Amino acid sequence: MKLNMAAVVGGAWTLWRRERALLLPLAGVFLVVPTMAATIWMVVPEVPDPAAPADAATLLQSMQAYLYANLHWLLLQTLLGLFGTGTILALFLDAGRPTVAGAMGVALRRFPALLLAQIACQFAVVLGLMAFLLPGLYAVGRIFLIPAAIVAEPRRNALDAMARGLQLTAGNGFALLGLQAVFYFAAQMVVALGSAFTSAGQGNDVAVALGALVAGIANGGMTLAYALLRVSAYAQASGSRG
């Protein structure tokens, strides 16, 4: 059965309007601040000399150096973002209707499964993109509800919950990809604006902080939107598929 994407967006918007007093602090702490910190303190990659010939070994070495220098920030941003997403999902999908503290406890208990699913899904997407662009893009849509299934159905182990998430998105892969793409590209346009502030204001702490704030709000807002869309889409999909 096809998901009604307009209803998915409408459901997410209703959640935001009703619960934004709870959502704003959670998004700020777990989604916005880590991105701001990473934007300010991550080591900027070296820009290769345009006149120098492109060399795969040099590019790989540069990428490795960048990852090594920034691994702690990348991990912090990823882990806090994943925990924040799990907390938001638990607020609306856990059967016990927990408080914020209770939702954080649910997210903590399900965190190993969420992390395992994150790694497996990213690996699948990368393989799909490497093999041929279309399978990787399709995978982005199909894995969308896996985090929601992990949080909403704690009786399932990680692999079973991943299978459940894939079941819920059957026939909706490209539609969910398109839905994510709208928010992704909107966020990246805002991030580009923040990057312009940061680049233009090197040496000016106010400009750098402003650029980091813009990037943090854009990325945090996108992640929050994805979480609310997952809640809405899961409610619709699980209701129609049992």
Side-chain angles (χ1 to χ4, degrees):
M1 179 178 175
K2 295 289 185 182
L3 292 173
N4 183 331
M5 293 301 157
V8 169
V9 174
W13 178 245
T14 298
L15 288 174
W16 163 250
R17 292 182 61 191
R18 191 179 71 213
E19 304 291 353
R20 60 182 177 271
L22 285 177
L23 293 168
L24 280 172
L26 284 172
V29 171
F30 294 111
L31 307 180
V32 175
V33 171
T35 300
M36 288 181 61
T39 302
I40 293 172
W41 286 301
M42 276 175 58
V43 177
V44 179
E46 293 184 9
V47 179
D49 183 359
D55 178 72
T58 302
L59 291 174
L60 180 60
Q61 184 179 12
S62 177
M63 184 181 297
Q64 288 175 336
Y66 171 75
L67 290 175
Y68 180 78
N70 296 301
L71 185 61
H72 54 298
W73 288 116
L74 295 170
L75 283 175
L76 182 67
Q77 187 178 3
T78 298
L79 295 177
L80 287 177
L82 189 61
F83 179 76
T85 295
T87 300
I88 293 167
L89 292 175
L91 273 174
F92 302 112
L93 294 179
D94 186 80
R97 294 296 181 263
T99 61
V100 172
M104 292 174 70
V106 173
L108 188 61
R109 289 192 295 274
R110 299 301 286 162
F111 192 80
L114 287 168
L115 183 58
L116 177 62
Q118 173 96 338
I119 294 170
C121 290
Q122 292 302 318
F123 186 67
V125 169
V126 169
L127 280 182
L129 291 173
M130 290 174 61
F132 187 67
L133 184 63
L134 205 57
L137 293 175
Y138 180 67
V140 171
R142 288 300 308 276
I143 65 177
F144 188 62
L145 291 184
I146 287 177
I150 289 173
V151 172
E153 304 181 30
R155 68 185 184 280
R156 298 178 186 270
N157 61 39
L159 294 179
D160 191 23
M162 290 171 66
R164 172 64 169 162
L166 292 174
Q167 175 201 3
L168 292 172
T169 58
N172 295 281
F174 286 117
L176 289 169
L177 169 67
L179 185 63
Q180 293 175 79
V182 171
F183 289 88
Y184 175 81
F185 286 114
Q188 293 314 303
M189 285 170 40
V190 180
V191 168
L193 178 63
S195 297
F197 275 113
T198 304
S199 300
Q202 290 298 331
N204 184 327
D205 292 342
V206 174
V208 171
L210 181 60
L213 177 62
V214 171
I217 290 173
N219 278 318
M222 178 188 70
T223 306
L224 174 60
Y226 283 174
L228 296 180
L229 289 168
R230 285 184 171 108
V231 171
S232 181
Y234 176 86
Q236 187 182 140
S238 61
S240 62
R241 294 166 190 260

